Every structure is written in C-alpha cells, then in structure tokens.
Amino acid sequence: MINNSPTYGKTAFLWLSLGVTGTVSAQTTDFTGQPTLSSDSLGLAADSLPDNSLEFDIRDARLEYFFPAEPFQFFKPDTGIARFQDVDPAFREKIDRQTLGNMGSASQPLVFGASGTVGLDLAGEPYWPYQTLPDSLRYYRANKPFTKIRYLLASGVQQRLNFLHTRNITPNLNLSFDYTRTVSEGQSSRQKAGINDVGVSGWFRTPDHRYGVTAGYQFNGVLAEENGGAAIDSVFGVTPRDAAPVWLEEAFTEHRRQSVQINQSLFGGRADPQLETDTGTRQLLLPKWRVWHGLQWSTDRRAFTDARPDTAYYPEFLFGADSLYASYSLDRLENTIGFSSVEGPDSLPGSIHYRLAFIHRWDRIQATAGLSSKQDFLTDARFRWTPGGDSLEGWFPAVESQIRLNRSGEYDALARAGFRSEQQYLTLGLSAQRFQPSEQQNFFFSAPYFWNQDLGAESRLVPELRYRHGGAGTEITLKWHQVRNMLYANQSAISTQQPGQTRVLQALLQQNFRIGNWHLDNMAALQTTNSDVVNLPVYWGRHSFYYEGFFFKNALFARIGADLRYQTGYTADAWNPVTASFYLQNELVPDTYPVVDVYFSAIIDRARILIKGYNLTQGLFAPGWYQTPDYPMPNRGIALQVDWKFWY
C-alpha cells in the first residue's frame, strides 16, 4: 500500500485547535450516509506550522483540517486514489444513494436510517451530497500555501470543478477558500442541474494559545430542471436519448443556503515545558479544557415552479391554475455556549472526554401562504471513556454516550459499551430518537396544492451490534430498527403517519481481501421489513477488484480495476418535484442488473488522474437500468478526472 502522507519534519510543535459551534458534523456519516452522533478520535496532531518560521523543504509540506463539531480531531485531505473513481458524490459514501439518474440530481439513502433532527427543520435533504452544510465547513492549517484544482468531464456533459486555496498568513492566522461547481446537462431532455458550493473559513489564535476565534461563510445554490421522468415506458431505444418525451416542459427546482458563523474559545490547562525557538525560549499552554461561545446565522430557501402544468402528470387536485408555485424557507439565528475537555490522542487506556453545550435558536419559517417564528432551547451532552488498568489480552473497556434534546420533547440519544484494542472494536449499542414532523410535513401550500395536518411525533428504538477489525478490513453492523408512528409520504405524495410499529432488520457488511498487489473490496447491505410502506432493496452490494502498485521505476502509482454494483429489484420510491421529496409507490419495479465500471487511476508527482468507462454491461442483461421509476440511469460512457496539488 502506498503512503500518501507528506514526510514530516524532525521537530515537533504543539498545535492548539480552536473552539467552534457545538453541532454534529454533517461530514461524519454512518453506513446510511446520515450524520453520526460520535466518531473515533484521530488524535491531536503535531503543529503543521512551526512558530520559528523556518523555511521547509517541499517534502515537509503538510495540510490538515478539522470540522466545527470536533475542533481537536484532525483529518488528512484525500491524497490517495482509493474511491477516486467514484466521481459522483451520490455514490461516494459507504452505501450508494437512490438518484434521478443525473449528477447533481436529488437523491435519498438506499438503506433505512434516521430521518429527522432535534429542532425545527425543513423536509428532507435531497441535494445533501452536493452541499457543504454549515456544520461541515472545513477549517485548515498548512505550513505552506496550498492550492488544489480538480476537474471532471463525463459523457452527458457532466462537469465538476473544485478549487481550494489555503494558507497560514502567520503562524496564528489561517484563511481558506473552497469552491465547487457542478454542471450536468444529463442524457435525457430537460435534466440539467447546476450547483455552486462556496466555503470561506479562517481562524486566529493568540501567541500564548489561550484564546482562539474562527469565522466562516458558506453558500450553496442548486438550480435543477425537473422533467417529471420519461413519458414512455423505455427511453433506451430512442436515439438520441434526449429526443424521448418527458412529462414536464417548464418546471424548475431552486435551493439556496447561506450561513455565517463566528466562534470564540478560552482554553485552560497547564504550561508546556520551555520550547526552543529562534527567538529564545517560551512556554505554551497545554490545553485541558475549553469554554466556547458560538453565534451562527443561516438561511435555507427552497422553491418549485412549473409555468405549464400537465394535467396528465399531476393528480387532479394539484391542477386548476395556469402555473404551480411553491416556496418555503427557514431563517435561523443560533447562539451556543459550551464547556468541554480538550481531547488529546486517543490512547489506550485511560482516555476520557466530555462535552456539554446549551443552544438557543430563533427560527423563522416562511411558506407560500405566510410566515411564523419560533424559539427553541437545546442541550447537547457527550461522554466517552476508556478506563485504565490491566487489559484483557490487549482489550480495554470502552463506553460512549451522547444525547441532544429540546424543550419540545424531541431527543436523539446514543449509548455504546464494549471493548477496544489497537486494531479492533466491539460494542453493543442502543439509540433512541423522537422527532416532531417537519414544517412541510404538517403544512404545505402551493397554488393550488396544499395540506394542513396535525401529525404526531415519530419515535425510534434501535439496538445495534458493531465489530471492526482494521487490520483484516472487516466491519459488521447489525441493527434492528423499531419505529412507532413512522412519518412518510404516501402514494399521493402527501405526508402521513403509519400507526403502530414498523420494524426493519439490517445487516451492513464490509470485508476487504488482499493477496500481494491484488485486492477485492466488498461492501454489502441486507434489509428486511414487516411494513408495506417502506421500500428497500433486500440486497445492495459494491464489489471492487483491482491491481494496485508502482510502475515505471516507482514514478507512477496506479490502480487498475473494475467495480460491480448490484441491488435486488424492488418497488423503489417515486419522486415528486413539487414537494421535493421521494414518496411511496408499490406498483413499478425499476429494471436493474449488475452494473460494471472499469477504470485506471494513478498518482504522478502531485497529480491524480482517472480514466473510467461506466455502465459497460448495458445491453447484456437489459437495454438500461433505473434507480427511480421513470428516471433512467446514464447510458454507458467515459469519465476523465484530473486532480492537481500545488505547494509553494
């Protein structure tokens, strides 16, 4: 295996991370692609920008980042070629998502999982893979100015450009700019999606490391054509494919998000032994705890318009005017104060970490028919403990828990207990959740489409068993979802509630094999349910077979292989563009077959390259395949991707 991490200098320097808001990072996800309540610590890394301002050789260039929710856990940017071939973010998580067949289109998880948050929210996150949510804005640290440019071009005029620049202006000040543009014309008529994602972040700390401040701005804009799907049974025999008729001719979806956040932290602890620098010796704080205050403003605006509604497409009660229009937005001002320990390296044994935050929110909801405002108070608490003492053949007990609750009786709680070693992790867990309906589930209004309901809360209880072996490449998660009064969109696309208890039994499996330079990586999900209002594939799997190694006297490191994806047939949820949500349908089983992609990816100096042929099995089993009824997946095609990194 290649080690893509830069070579570190010989001198170690202390890094003091900065405190930010107390919300869960949306970038830390579980098998379902949903935000997790906790993650394993990656440790407190040495400072990547020394305070003595010595010139570094480029081989010592370093870059790391942290998320707002866990400012003491640092991550290395992706510099390898693992999963580099998964060019669409909707297929980059551990489990793929159900899409509308075009990069930049709406999607939802293919596996069953939590579908709500504590506090007022809008219904669903269909464009989540292409958005930087406020809690997932990255804060960087670099010992040299760093720029990265990535460009993707794929069949169907699918393009994706990413530009990142970050630099430490001084040892105690960093500024970063991150921009991504996604444009996809699609292979069907009126399928174009355009997405802009902008993140600006910066942090400052005092020389004595006792005070720190971070500030960030985030913008995301989605403008997507809505074609309502194909108006014929199959488009795969139509040439060119965009000549196939579609249901909607002038329909659009628009989503816009913005957020501004500023956070301050005071740190306490003890002084470090004297540190030698070019300007003499001085003491730096070794932080043990921090107190922080965060202030964040955010807005989430969504709209749908159709200038020429088709009576054959919309149900009768949706039609009756010359146009359809729906809009709703959430404006939020959030104030957070918190206290926590400063989490150091996740060493075994004897590590302990705690965190307590209090959050006040002022929310304003605006719908097509009017607006209202609400206030909410939330409490967020976390605790993780690995007791010291003698180990049992290298195993140590481990306990972690977290709960977030508000005054409306909503909560999201998790508790795990088990054993950990340097390579393995075995726990039993229990999560409990209670979520009120979202604003759009209770009230939705367009011209002339509306409902006004009084739905109750949904509650979930999920026992789980997790096992992970890092050395063997094994990860197993077993879950038994028990949902009471489940909220969902029925066959008329109207939000409703399933009385009684809905159960889903789930097994999520990962096993990687290696013989020399040959690899076989496997990820699979198995699901079964007792409910006829939950549509899930019984089996989903991704299997990657590839050869990986150095070529041309170690001048090039490459991976040559093939990915096979397959899911069993099922009555997949349909898409309603008016409400921007997936809804229940139990009549159509979309065509599917084993989809094979072949690729070559490589690292040459500071560049990564990819050449990929996708959906190469089209025509062998069926003319084409679907994930969502009436929304065909792309025909076979080619994708080219290049990623450059510049240190200077």
Side-chain angles (χ1 to χ4, degrees):
M1 299 292 289
I2 186 172
N3 182 2
N4 294 307
S5 301
T7 303
Y8 292 0
K10 295 182 179 179
T11 308
F13 298 89
L14 176 67
W15 173 266
L16 182 61
S17 21
L18 306 178
V20 288
T21 57
T23 49
V24 178
S25 169
Q27 291 293 335
T28 306
T29 59
D30 61 11
F31 272 108
T32 69
Q34 302 297 327
T36 60
L37 288 171
S38 62
S39 60
D40 295 333
S41 172
L42 299 183
L44 187 66
D47 194 352
S48 61
L49 183 72
D51 294 330
N52 58 16
S53 301
L54 288 176
E55 292 294 329
F56 270 69
D57 186 275
I58 196 66
R59 291 171 298 177
D60 293 320
R62 295 180 59 186
L63 178 70
E64 295 169 313
Y65 65 88
F66 60 91
F67 291 123
E70 296 291 346
F72 306 106
Q73 296 185 17
F74 294 95
F75 299 83
K76 299 291 184 185
D78 179 16
T79 59
I81 51 177
R83 301 291 300 277
F84 189 60
Q85 72 274 16
D86 293 322
V87 295
D88 189 337
F91 296 90
R92 198 173 291 161
E93 296 298 321
K94 287 189 173 181
I95 306 293
D96 292 349
R97 295 172 67 88
Q98 176 190 349
T99 75
L100 303 186
N102 186 36
M103 181 181 293
S105 65
S107 64
Q108 71 169 358
L110 275 171
V111 294
F112 192 78
S115 59
T117 61
V118 175
L120 193 147
D121 58 358
L122 300 180
E125 296 291 353
Y127 296 97
W128 173 80
Y130 306 95
Q131 295 176 312
T132 301
L133 303 182
D135 302 330
S136 57
L137 185 62
R138 294 182 178 184
Y139 291 82
Y140 289 88
R141 61 181 189 176
N143 66 341
K144 292 180 180 294
F146 174 80
T147 299
K148 185 190 77 169
I149 301 174
R150 177 184 293 188
Y151 178 71
L152 164 72
L153 176 63
S155 302
V157 197
Q158 300 179 85
Q159 299 181 79
R160 187 170 170 84
L161 172 68
N162 172 250
F163 174 84
L164 167 67
H165 179 75
T166 181
R167 64 187 303 157
N168 278 54
I169 308 301
T170 71
N172 298 311
L173 175 64
N174 176 276
L175 294 176
S176 302
F177 176 80
D178 195 350
Y179 172 73
T180 302
R181 170 67 171 168
T182 303
V183 178
S184 181
E185 297 284 349
Q187 296 183 2
S188 297
S189 176
R190 289 197 46 78
Q191 201 179 27
K192 182 178 180 178
I195 302 176
N196 291 294
D197 190 85
V198 180
V200 181
S201 62
W203 55 259
F204 168 78
R205 68 178 182 187
T206 56
D208 62 3
H209 296 176
R210 294 185 180 274
Y211 172 79
V213 60
T214 64
Y217 169 77
Q218 173 269 332
F219 169 82
N220 181 274
V222 177
L223 181 61
E225 295 177 340
E226 296 281 4
N227 64 15
I232 57 177
D233 291 338
S234 177
V235 304
F236 295 109
V238 178
T239 305
R241 201 171 95 173
D242 60 6
V246 294
W247 284 107
L248 305 180
E249 297 294 337
E250 293 189 26
F252 295 90
T253 287
E254 185 175 10
H255 285 198
R256 290 183 178 271
R257 291 178 181 268
Q258 289 190 83
S259 70
V260 177
Q261 53 183 268
I262 184 168
N263 312 275
Q264 302 177 82
S265 292
L266 291 175
F267 299 90
R270 62 181 179 85
D272 189 34
Q274 291 184 345
L275 179 67
E276 296 288 341
T277 69
D278 284 355
T279 58
T281 61
R282 60 174 169 166
Q283 290 185 333
L284 297 177
L285 183 72
L286 283 177
K288 294 298 183 181
W289 52 265
R290 67 165 177 140
V291 178
W292 80 89
H293 170 256
L295 188 65
Q296 178 176 284
W297 168 84
S298 62
T299 180
D300 184 356
R301 304 184 185 278
R302 310 180 184 187
F304 169 81
T305 181
D306 188 348
R308 290 198 300 166
D310 189 334
T311 54
Y313 176 78
Y314 295 107
E316 291 184 2
F317 70 92
L318 290 177
F319 189 76
D322 293 335
S323 64
L324 278 175
Y325 177 73
S327 69
Y328 42 99
S329 65
L330 170 61
D331 296 325
R332 168 169 292 164
L333 184 63
E334 183 172 284
N335 203 3
T336 303
I337 59 172
F339 175 79
S340 74
S341 62
V342 171
E343 190 173 15
D346 192 18
S347 57
L348 295 173
S351 61
I352 186 170
H353 178 57
Y354 58 87
R355 177 166 167 256
L356 180 64
F358 300 97
I359 305 165
H360 171 257
R361 287 176 176 173
W362 177 83
D363 295 324
R364 185 180 72 171
I365 292 288
Q366 182 170 357
T368 312
L371 60 87
S372 62
S373 61
K374 300 179 182 179
Q375 293 192 66
D376 200 1
F377 296 90
L378 297 85
T379 301
D380 187 283
R382 306 182 191 185
F383 178 77
R384 183 167 67 246
W385 180 39
T386 303
D390 295 333
S391 68
L392 180 63
E393 296 183 357
W395 289 81
F396 294 90
V399 177
E400 63 176 329
S401 62
Q402 177 174 329
I403 184 170
R404 171 170 285 205
L405 51 87
N406 70 352
R407 66 176 185 173
S408 301
E410 294 181 292
Y411 54 81
D412 190 355
L414 168 68
R416 291 193 184 113
F419 295 89
R420 298 188 62 180
S421 69
E422 293 295 336
Q423 287 284 340
Q424 301 183 72
Y425 182 66
L426 175 65
T427 63
L428 284 171
L430 181 67
S431 63
Q433 297 154 337
R434 185 177 188 270
F435 299 134
Q436 297 289 346
S438 69
E439 187 70 11
Q440 279 63 52
Q441 287 174 317
N442 264 334
F443 178 78
F444 185 88
F445 182 92
S446 71
Y449 177 36
F450 79 97
W451 66 68
N452 190 1
Q453 306 185 93
D454 185 20
L455 301 174
E458 171 189 288
S459 59
R460 300 188 177 213
L461 192 66
V462 187
E464 67 171 33
L465 172 66
R466 291 175 179 249
Y467 173 73
R468 183 178 62 209
H469 193 301
T474 303
E475 190 168 350
I476 301 172
T477 302
L478 304 177
K479 291 186 176 184
W480 185 30
H481 300 265
Q482 302 168 79
V483 188
R484 184 169 296 278
N485 299 325
M486 188 179 72
L487 296 160
Y488 72 101
N490 64 20
Q491 289 173 296
S492 297
I494 298 176
S495 295
T496 188
Q497 207 152 19
Q498 176 75 356
Q501 192 170 81
T502 300
R503 300 181 181 89
V504 177
L505 185 61
Q506 191 176 73
L508 308 166
L509 313 171
Q510 177 178 326
Q511 179 61 64
N512 300 334
F513 301 97
R514 175 180 177 179
I515 301 177
N517 289 351
W518 295 94
H519 298 254
L520 177 61
D521 297 345
N522 304 277
M523 178 68 67
L526 298 169
Q527 304 169 108
T528 183
T529 179
N530 70 332
S531 174
D532 58 0
V533 301
V534 177
N535 287 329
L536 298 169
V538 174
Y539 172 85
W540 172 91
R542 181 184 64 245
H543 309 279
S544 300
F545 180 68
Y546 57 92
Y547 178 91
E548 182 180 75
F550 286 97
F551 298 87
F552 306 113
K553 297 182 179 180
N554 294 339
L556 176 148
F557 183 82
R559 177 179 289 188
I560 306 170
D563 291 342
L564 184 149
R565 284 176 163 87
Y566 177 71
Q567 64 191 50
T568 53
Y570 72 110
T571 53
D573 288 345
W575 170 251
N576 185 336
V578 181
T579 60
S581 63
F582 289 85
Y583 68 95
L584 180 70
Q585 71 86 26
N586 288 326
E587 298 177 358
L588 300 176
V589 178
D591 293 333
T592 186
Y593 53 76
V595 178
V596 174
D597 304 334
V598 175
Y599 64 90
F600 169 83
S601 57
I603 300 175
I604 306 174
D605 194 18
R606 300 177 202 170
R608 293 184 291 178
I609 61 173
L610 168 72
I611 303 174
K612 174 181 176 178
Y614 56 85
N615 194 11
L616 299 184
T617 48
Q618 182 179 16
L620 296 180
F621 307 98
W625 71 296
Y626 296 79
Q627 280 191 309
T628 302
D630 297 331
Y631 288 87
M633 298 298 285
N635 291 327
R636 71 168 61 90
I638 297 176
L640 305 174
Q641 184 170 250
V642 182
D643 183 286
W644 296 275
K645 296 183 289 293
F646 305 94
W647 300 91
Y648 48 93

